[in-house]
Amino acid sequence: MEWLNYHHLFYFWTVARAGSIARASEELRLAQPTISNQLKTLEANLGVKLLERQGRRLVLTDVGRTVLRYADDIFRTGRELQRAVKGLPTGQRLRLVVGVADVIPKRMAALLLQPAVDAHPDLTLVCREGPLPQLLAALALHELDVVIADVPAPEDVKVKAFSHRLGDCGTSFLAARPLAHLRKGFPRSLQAAPMLLPSEGTALRRGLDAWLERTGVRPVVAGEFDDSALMQAFGARGLGVFAAPRVLEEDIRSQLEVGVIGRAEDVRESYHAITVERRLRHPAVVTLAEAARDAIFGAPQA
């Protein structure tokens, strides 16, 4: 079993926070050569370079930044341990840093994350949004605990990640009152009707295109949107019919003055939690995964 020398890690942590060996030397009251030797020993034991010199400055390598984040957690936990054994409040809060793929509707992200917030009152939730490849890169560097996406981790992305399926649901088509007449004869009623679509290349767009092809319906594309919330806002203004995950149907209807035109259970949207662990370990991630499978996607839909 390999052992980590926490004294060496503490010296590295102090240097990284202080910004130089000289300042760390003053803080630790140790000679600079002593600290330098300890850093070299830590790098040798880990087999990686943690710091590199740029001019007169020492800067963290990519691996060094990862090690620093772990060191922050380790020494914060150590301080909390000392306070806990003395019977003092630790002030410890559970932290969950989530990456949400930018194609996920914000309402869906909130629906998936809410059970974790409800179950862990001490939770500090941090959400990052962006393209899936960018989020997976951050996940690999342990900057994120989990990534919520509409597809599993792509095989062509060189990141060791594991996809945990949360569930899937059918699709609802909604529109403002001026288009309510399209309920009659759905889906044939969508022929030449104005429709708002998600941008090309998204999983939902591919599913909708395939469904329209199967049904032989040709709507008029009145708009294409990267942002589902913006698409819904224009839909509420009567610009066209728009699609949304079936599990969000009631929430959208309660927030916007729109009604259901029809439903397509064969247009499925799936959702995944992607982590660097084969088994989910973070308690908040375990909670959201269980809630998604049992209460959100597992519940019967009216």
Side-chain angles (χ1 to χ4, degrees):
M1 179 177 180
E2 295 184 5
W3 294 94
L4 177 65
N5 189 312
Y6 288 95
H7 284 96
H8 296 166
L9 184 64
F10 181 72
Y11 296 147
F12 160 75
W13 182 65
T14 304
V15 170
R17 289 168 58 244
S20 71
I21 292 178
R23 284 196 287 271
S25 175
E26 295 175 2
E27 183 177 334
L28 295 170
R29 297 182 181 180
L30 292 172
Q32 293 186 37
T34 299
I35 297 176
S36 295
N37 289 334
Q38 301 284 19
L39 290 177
K40 291 177 181 177
T41 302
L42 177 63
E43 289 178 330
N45 289 338
L46 294 176
V48 293
K49 192 73 173 174
L50 302 177
L51 294 157
E52 58 186 9
R53 189 167 295 280
Q54 291 185 0
R56 296 183 178 182
R57 297 171 54 246
L58 274 179
V59 298
L60 291 164
T61 63
D62 289 341
V63 178
R65 284 190 287 272
T66 299
V67 173
L68 178 60
R69 284 191 292 275
Y70 277 103
D72 284 335
D73 290 339
I74 288 169
F75 294 120
R76 182 178 64 250
T77 302
R79 291 193 298 271
E80 290 168 356
L81 171 63
Q82 290 177 313
R83 293 183 64 83
V85 297
K86 293 177 182 178
L88 299 173
T90 64
Q92 182 180 14
R93 291 183 62 86
L94 182 64
R95 182 178 173 87
L96 176 63
V97 186
V98 183
V100 180
D102 52 12
V103 297
I104 298 290
K106 293 177 176 59
R107 293 177 190 271
M108 178 60 76
L111 180 66
L112 291 171
L113 293 171
Q114 189 63 50
V117 174
D118 294 339
H120 303 278
D122 62 340
L123 181 69
T124 296
L125 177 64
V126 180
C127 289
R128 312 286 189 213
E129 185 181 25
L132 183 56
Q134 177 181 315
L135 295 177
L136 291 177
L139 181 71
L141 294 174
H142 299 280
E143 295 175 356
L144 302 173
D145 296 307
V146 63
V147 171
I148 304 297
D150 63 337
V151 292
E155 295 182 359
D156 59 346
V157 175
K158 296 181 180 179
V159 172
K160 185 179 180 181
F162 299 93
S163 299
H164 311 270
R165 187 180 178 85
L166 300 177
D168 62 81
C169 65
T171 298
S172 297
F173 294 83
L174 303 102
R177 188 172 300 171
L179 297 175
H181 64 278
L182 295 175
R183 292 192 190 99
K184 187 176 181 179
F186 179 89
R188 299 301 306 172
S189 59
L190 295 180
Q191 179 69 32
M195 191 165 184
L196 310 181
L197 294 172
S199 296
E200 292 185 355
T202 62
L204 177 56
R205 178 60 182 271
R206 289 192 292 270
L208 288 172
D209 286 345
W211 179 77
L212 291 170
E213 184 69 27
R214 289 195 302 272
T215 57
V217 173
R218 296 290 183 270
V220 174
V221 179
E224 298 183 65
F225 299 84
D226 287 336
D227 190 312
S228 62
L230 185 59
M231 179 175 68
Q232 293 169 15
F234 275 105
R237 291 173 175 266
L239 186 63
V241 178
F242 63 91
R246 178 80 184 276
V247 296
L248 296 180
E249 182 183 293
E250 287 305 315
D251 182 48
I252 295 172
R253 290 176 64 188
S254 68
Q255 296 293 323
L256 303 174
E257 293 185 8
V258 296
V260 177
I261 299 300
R263 300 182 181 96
E265 290 302 324
D266 54 339
V267 182
R268 310 294 293 180
E269 292 189 73
S270 62
Y271 299 91
H272 306 262
I274 304 173
T275 68
V276 294
E277 302 164 334
R278 188 179 297 276
R279 294 182 59 189
L280 297 179
R281 298 185 183 278
H282 194 295
V285 179
V286 172
T287 298
L288 77 85
E290 291 176 347
R293 293 162 182 162
D294 298 336
I296 298 176
F297 299 111
Q301 298 172 9

